[in-house]
C-alpha cells in the first residue's frame, strides 16, 4: 500500500504509523459527560468502504495526515495535512506528482 | 577548535574494497561539516525563514517541498513542512542563525554533534541506495539539491542529492557506524573506495 504524503510524495506504508480513527470527537478535558467519553473511547463506525483515518508519516516528514482509505479495496482517495501548512515550503515539487 | 572524533573511525578504512578489480563504482566518505543546523518556521513564516537562510549562508533555497541547494561548501534543504537542514564547513552556523531567526519566525536547533553526514558518490550510488530506501533515486524524480526524509528500518535518514551521482545522508550519530558498515557491505559487489 502506498500513501501519497502531501509533502514527500508516494511512500510505502512501512513509513507510516496509524494514529486511529479520524471520526472521533474528543470531549473537553473537564467534561463529565460519560456518554461522550464512552463514545470517544469505544464507538467506531467500522464502515465497509471509505474511512476517515489519522496517519503519521513517522518515517518521513513526521507530519500528521488525514487519510480517507477504502477498507474494502485499500484505495486511498484523499490525503491532507491534519494541521494546515499555509507556506509554500510545504507544496510538493512538481516532479513528485508524476 | 576541539577536534571532533568521527563515530565511523573504527570502521573507516581508506582504500579500495570489495569487488574493485573491474573498477570502483562507488565512493564512500564522511563530509564532516562543522555545523549542522535544523530550522523550523512557524506556520506562515516559511518565506521569512527561507530569506534568513539566504542572509546567513548566501544560498538561494528554492521554495517547495523537499527543495534544496548546495554550493559545495554549504548545503540547505527542506525535509518536512516548514523545516530545513543547513550544513556548512564553518563552525558557528547556529549562532549566526540565532541572530536572524527571531522567535516570531521560528526556531534554531544546533544538531552539529547529533548527526553524521555520509557521502556516497559514483555511477552505482543510486543503485546501492535503492537497496536501503524505498524512494525513487532517479534524477527525474529526485533533483540535484533536493532533500528527502526516509528510514532504513527504524533508522531515520535525511538525504540530499548534492550531485547527479552524489548523495549526502544525514543520520543520528549513534547509528552512523552501523549505517556506514551496512553501506560498505552493500557496495562490496560493485567495488568501492573509502576516501
Ligand atoms: Zn511526509
Amino acid at each position: 500500500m502506498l500513501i501519497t504524503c502531501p509533502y514527500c510524495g508516494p511512500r510505502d506504508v512501512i513509513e507510516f504509523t496509524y494514529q486511529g480513527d479520524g471520526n472521533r470527537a474528543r470531549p473537553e478535558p473537564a467534561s463529565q459527560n460519560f456518554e461522550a467519553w464512552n463514545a470517544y473511547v469505544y464507538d467506531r463506525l467500522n464502515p465497509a468502504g471509505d474511512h476517515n483515518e489519522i496517519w503519521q508519516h513517522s518515517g518521513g516528514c513526521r507530519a500528521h495526515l488525514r487519510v480517507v482509505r477504502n477498507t474494502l479495496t485499500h484505495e486511498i482517495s484523499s490525503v491532507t495535512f491534519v494541521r494546515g501548512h499555509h507556506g509554500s515550503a510545504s507544496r510538493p515539487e512538481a516532479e513528485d506528482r508524476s | 577548535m576541539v577536534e571532533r572524533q568521527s563515530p565511523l573511525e573504527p570502521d573507516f578504512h581508506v582504500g579500495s574494497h570489495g569487488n574493485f578489480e573491474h573498477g570502483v563504482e562507488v565512493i564512500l566518505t564522511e563530509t564532516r561539516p562543522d555545523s549542522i543546523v535544523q530550522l523550523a518556521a512557524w506556520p506562515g513564516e516559511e518565506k521569512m525563514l527561507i530569506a534568513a537562510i539566504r542572509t546567513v549562508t548566501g544560498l538561494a533555497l528554492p521554495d517547495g517541498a523537499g527543495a534544496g541547494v548546495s554550493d559545495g561548501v554549504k548545503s540547505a534543504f527542506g525535509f518536512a513542512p516548514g523545516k530545513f537542514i543547513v550544513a556548512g564547513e564553518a563552525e558557528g552556523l547556529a549562532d549566526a542563525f540565532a541572530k536572524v531567526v527571531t522567535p516570531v519566525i521560528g526556531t534554531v536547533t544546533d544538531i552539529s554533534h547529533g548527526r553524521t553526514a555520509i557521502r556516497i558518490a559514483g555511477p552505482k550510488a543510486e543503485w546501492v541506495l535503492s537497496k536501503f530506501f524505498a524512494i525513487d533515486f532517479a534524477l527525474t524524480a529526485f533533483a540535484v539539491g533536493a532533500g528527502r526524509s526516509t528510514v532504513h528500518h527504524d533508522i531515520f535518514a535525511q538525504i540530499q542529492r548534492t550531485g547527479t551521482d552524489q548523495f549526502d545522508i544525514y543520520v543520528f550519530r549513534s547509528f552512523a557506524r552501523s549505517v556506514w558498515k551496512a553501506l560498505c557491505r552493500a557496495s562490496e559487489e560493485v567495488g568501492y573506495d573509502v576516501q
Side-chain angles (χ1 to χ4, degrees):
Chain A
M1 192 167 91
L2 291 176
I3 298 177
T4 301
C5 170
Y7 186 88
C8 303
R11 295 293 180 90
D12 193 276
V13 70
I14 56 159
E15 291 194 0
F16 297 84
T17 309
Y18 184 53
Q19 300 278 18
D21 190 322
N23 299 300
R24 294 178 299 166
R26 193 178 196 273
E28 286 298 311
S31 168
Q32 300 204 351
N33 182 339
F34 295 122
E35 295 286 317
W37 279 111
N38 186 75
Y40 173 68
V41 175
Y42 295 110
D43 288 358
R44 297 293 180 268
L45 296 170
N46 194 25
D50 282 349
H51 187 221
N52 296 317
E53 302 177 336
I54 306 296
W55 289 75
Q56 187 188 13
H57 194 189
S58 48
C61 66
R62 301 193 65 78
H64 288 85
L65 306 171
R66 192 172 284 285
V67 174
V68 178
R69 181 182 63 95
N70 189 301
T71 56
L72 296 174
T73 63
H74 292 306
E75 190 186 341
I76 289 169
S77 51
S78 159
V79 187
T80 54
F81 293 119
V82 168
R83 212 171 56 164
H85 290 278
H86 311 291
S88 44
S90 55
R91 269 206 313 266
E93 291 167 271
E95 66 208 32
D96 274 344
R97 292 192 165 146
S98 55
Chain B
M1 117 184 207
V2 179
E3 185 65 30
R4 195 180 302 164
Q5 250 198 322
S6 167
L8 310 182
E9 212 162 283
D11 291 292
F12 193 93
H13 305 298
V14 171
S16 301
H17 304 275
N19 182 27
F20 64 88
E21 292 85 357
H22 307 292
V24 163
E25 297 196 273
V26 160
I27 295 161
L28 292 169
T29 192
E30 186 188 356
T31 66
R32 307 191 74 158
D34 282 325
S35 287
I36 308 173
V37 179
Q38 184 171 308
L39 304 168
W42 303 121
E45 298 293 325
E46 293 86 352
K47 282 188 193 313
M48 294 296 286
L49 190 58
I50 288 171
I53 291 170
R54 184 164 202 162
T55 303
V56 172
T57 65
L59 293 173
L61 186 72
D63 205 346
V69 63
S70 177
D71 66 5
V73 181
K74 286 162 290 184
S75 301
F77 60 95
F79 69 93
K83 293 180 183 168
F84 306 87
I85 281 178
V86 182
E89 281 181 11
E91 267 190 295
L93 208 49
D95 292 338
F97 272 113
K99 292 189 183 81
V100 178
V101 180
T102 63
V104 175
I105 298 173
T107 60
V108 179
T109 311
D110 189 348
I111 54 172
S112 308
H113 295 256
R115 299 288 186 279
T116 296
I118 296 169
R119 175 168 288 172
I120 178 166
K124 288 287 187 200
E126 269 182 31
W127 184 82
V128 169
L129 287 179
S130 296
K131 296 189 195 183
F132 286 76
F133 305 105
I135 64 172
D136 192 348
F137 286 99
L139 193 56
T140 46
F142 192 165
V144 174
R148 295 287 184 272
S149 295
T150 184
V151 284
H152 175 56
H153 294 283
D154 284 328
I155 301 181
F156 233 96
Q158 274 125 16
I159 305 170
Q160 184 182 29
R161 184 178 214 130
T162 49
T164 51
D165 58 3
Q166 177 174 296
F167 301 86
D168 295 354
I169 310 165
Y170 294 84
V171 291
F172 291 129
R173 185 184 160 93
S174 52
F175 287 122
R177 196 187 304 161
S178 153
V179 171
W180 172 259
K181 285 164 80 172
L183 279 168
C184 289
R185 281 295 295 271
S187 305
E188 271 176 5
E189 61 179 307
V190 294
Y192 67 98
D193 257 7
V194 173
Q195 295 178 356

